[in-house]
Amino acid sequence: MGAIDDEILRLEDEIRNTQYNKATQGHIGRLRAKIAALKLEKEKRARGTGGGPSGYAVRKSGHATVALVGYPSVGKSTLLTHLTGAESESAAYEFTTVSIIPGMLQWKGASIQILDMPGLVAGASRGRGRGREVISVVRASDLVLFMLDKEHLEFRSLLAELEGAGVRVNQRPPKISVTHRDRGGLEVESTVRLTKVDADLVKQVAREFGLHNGLIIFREDAPVDSLIDVLAGNRVYVPGILAINKSDLISPAERASILERLGSHRPIFVSATSDQGLTELKDRIAEVLAFIRVYMKPPGEAPDLVEPLILRKGDTVASLLLRLPPETTQGFKAAQVWGPSARFPGQTVGKDHVLADRDIVTVVIQRGSRPER
Ligand SMILES: Nc1nc2c(ncn2[C@@H]2O[C@H](COP(=O)(O)OP(=O)(O)OP(=O)(O)O)[C@@H](O)[C@H]2O)c(=O)[nH]1
Ligand SMILES: [Mg+2]
């Protein structure tokens, strides 16, 4: 362990040994900011020397990628096999899976890549087990599918491992904006009354991140941790789903107590070996990934209503263009849209236009840019 690690541990100890109250919350906030800034520095150095996370090079494919995360032996590989047919060894001992195994789930017209991963253990975010690789895959995924079983119900600690590595599950980015300036010191503004931080603390935290001149605007009554997230800048926000596996071994009474404990996370009870609950699980995955279908209409021809392009809610014409063969989009001039996202049939729109499910789209290109046949 290097000097940075030692310093992080020392600061974490100090936080643990400081009673949290009104008088100390500023101090604790500054300590947290110091830790976050040190972690950032550590990552930067690791990248610089090439000694950082090797980053599992899993090629993303399909319309979206789902990462399977859970403790060892909860049944992740068994689920992958039952959902996708991909072979991933499963066994009654821990750490059966030691690399990342992809499978492809076809559901309601969409291809969903599912990545089976080694079991996550405590300390993963600090590099224990295969933690680093798992976390780097999670960072690049569109959805995390968490799996627990009745022997492993510590969902909080699983989340904490990801949190420690900058992954925010089922959260939205804080409404805090930071603008860097060349001079003039730090300015703090807010559109709401701030009860969790004051301007002094905000400035001190900003300085921990090397920000000495700039404007920070709070658009919600956010805690200091949200400010740290924004200043650190390398946070990823991903949706998550919780599945409780081996439900064939769970009695109704146990089920009720699990629901009492984890009900707020809307867990889905499944049994990977007996396929119980898998339809509900697949539906939930598709719902969260929010696929939309877009039909292409060549200029002056009828639309192709048989094979839609699969995009995701919030995708724009620009995202659509990326999915078409380059020769058909070269010289893009505009798009014409019929359907739910159009204000009137055949509306002409630009690349920023947000598409909707069941839109019909024609790509209009500059005259003379269509290649000769
Ligand atoms: N009863 C029951 N057993 C299951 C179920 N799903 C998986 N198992 C068993 O649980 C054991 C572990 O399954 P794996 O799929 O290897 O678990 P894993 O999460 O991939 O484990 P690691 O790769 O070690 O992290 C195996 O013996 C499976 O047969 C289930 O739904 N019910
Ligand atoms: Mg496995």
Side-chain angles (χ1 to χ4, degrees):
M1 288 225 295
I4 294 188
D5 289 309
D6 290 345
E7 182 63 5
I8 291 175
L9 287 179
R10 195 190 62 74
L11 292 165
E12 282 173 348
D13 259 358
E14 187 174 345
I15 291 179
R16 257 192 301 278
N17 295 325
T18 308
Q19 189 153 9
Y20 188 91
N21 58 42
K22 204 78 198 155
T24 60
Q25 68 179 21
H27 180 61
I28 290 177
R30 280 189 301 279
L31 294 177
R32 290 224 190 99
K34 276 195 169 73
I35 292 173
L38 284 170
K39 282 188 180 170
L40 212 59
E41 177 60 30
K42 188 178 150 187
E43 268 169 44
K44 228 180 266 162
R45 286 193 197 172
R47 267 199 304 276
T49 60
S54 54
Y56 251 98
V58 188
R59 187 194 295 277
K60 284 181 94 175
S61 72
H63 301 116
T65 298
V66 178
L68 250 174
V69 172
Y71 298 110
S73 280
V74 295
K76 300 179 294 299
S77 300
T78 309
L79 180 75
L80 179 86
T81 302
H82 282 248
L83 283 181
T84 71
E87 294 285 340
S88 183
E89 197 187 339
S90 62
Y93 47 82
E94 302 197 332
F95 300 111
T96 307
T97 309
V98 292
S99 63
I100 294 181
I101 316 255
M104 195 64 82
L105 163 68
Q106 306 293 339
W107 193 243
K108 300 196 168 156
S111 306
I112 303 168
Q113 183 182 42
I114 304 206
L115 301 176
D116 178 27
M117 307 215 276
L120 209 60
V121 290
S125 58
R126 292 193 300 277
R128 275 199 65 207
R130 294 266 158 178
R132 255 186 231 289
E133 287 99 318
V134 169
I135 284 163
S136 79
V137 169
V138 165
R139 290 181 72 95
S141 302
D142 301 298
L143 169 69
V144 187
L145 174 53
F146 292 98
M147 182 173 264
L148 301 175
D149 66 14
K150 70 173 183 180
E151 312 289 340
H152 309 81
L153 287 170
E154 271 67 44
F155 189 44
R156 282 255 109 250
S157 358
L158 206 55
L159 281 178
E161 286 303 330
L162 300 188
E163 286 266 321
V167 178
R168 301 289 173 266
V169 177
N170 289 338
Q171 293 178 29
R172 44 156 196 72
K175 291 184 183 151
I176 303 173
S177 66
V178 175
T179 317
H180 293 247
R181 288 174 177 162
D182 288 337
R183 66 186 70 154
L186 287 168
E187 242 186 292
V188 180
E189 286 178 13
S190 61
T191 58
V192 293
R193 206 171 78 81
L194 301 183
T195 64
K196 299 165 186 145
V197 294
D198 58 27
D200 254 2
L201 177 59
V202 171
K203 288 178 188 176
Q204 289 177 27
V205 168
R207 287 188 196 110
E208 293 294 341
F209 286 89
L211 179 67
H212 297 278
N213 299 289
L215 172 64
I216 301 171
I217 307 177
F218 276 67
R219 291 193 172 78
E220 63 183 348
D221 184 17
V224 71
D225 289 327
S226 299
L227 174 65
I228 292 172
D229 278 351
V230 171
L231 288 164
N234 64 345
R235 307 305 193 224
V236 292
Y237 295 83
V238 283
I241 294 176
L242 175 58
I244 313 278
N245 191 33
K246 308 189 189 180
S247 59
D248 50 299
L249 304 177
I250 297 176
S251 71
E254 286 170 328
R255 194 185 174 103
S257 96
I258 292 173
L259 277 174
E260 199 162 303
R261 177 167 172 178
L262 295 168
S264 64
H265 301 285
R266 294 212 294 149
I268 302 173
F269 288 86
V270 300
S271 169
T273 43
S274 66
D275 287 356
Q276 258 176 70
L278 295 198
T279 301
E280 189 190 348
L281 179 64
K282 289 186 275 191
D283 280 345
R284 181 83 73 81
I285 291 173
E287 178 195 321
V288 173
L289 290 172
F291 294 113
I292 61 172
R293 292 152 292 182
V294 172
Y295 301 92
M296 298 308 294
K297 171 176 149 42
E301 292 176 35
D304 170 5
L305 296 177
V306 182
E307 266 195 59
L309 269 161
I310 305 286
L311 297 173
R312 298 187 47 206
K313 198 173 159 200
D315 276 349
T316 58
V317 169
S319 356
L320 170 72
L321 294 177
L322 287 176
R323 298 277 297 281
L324 297 171
E327 62 272 19
T328 65
T329 63
Q330 231 157 47
F332 171 86
K333 195 165 125 198
Q336 267 188 296
V337 183
W338 292 259
S341 82
R343 266 187 289 135
F344 52 87
Q347 185 193 353
T348 299
V349 299
K351 285 187 182 177
D352 297 341
H353 179 79
V354 176
L355 295 162
D357 190 31
R358 291 176 182 275
D359 273 348
I360 296 172
V361 178
T362 293
V363 173
V364 183
I365 60 174
Q366 232 106 40
R367 216 184 302 200
S369 5
R370 200 172 281 279
E372 300 291 325
R373 298 206 186 206

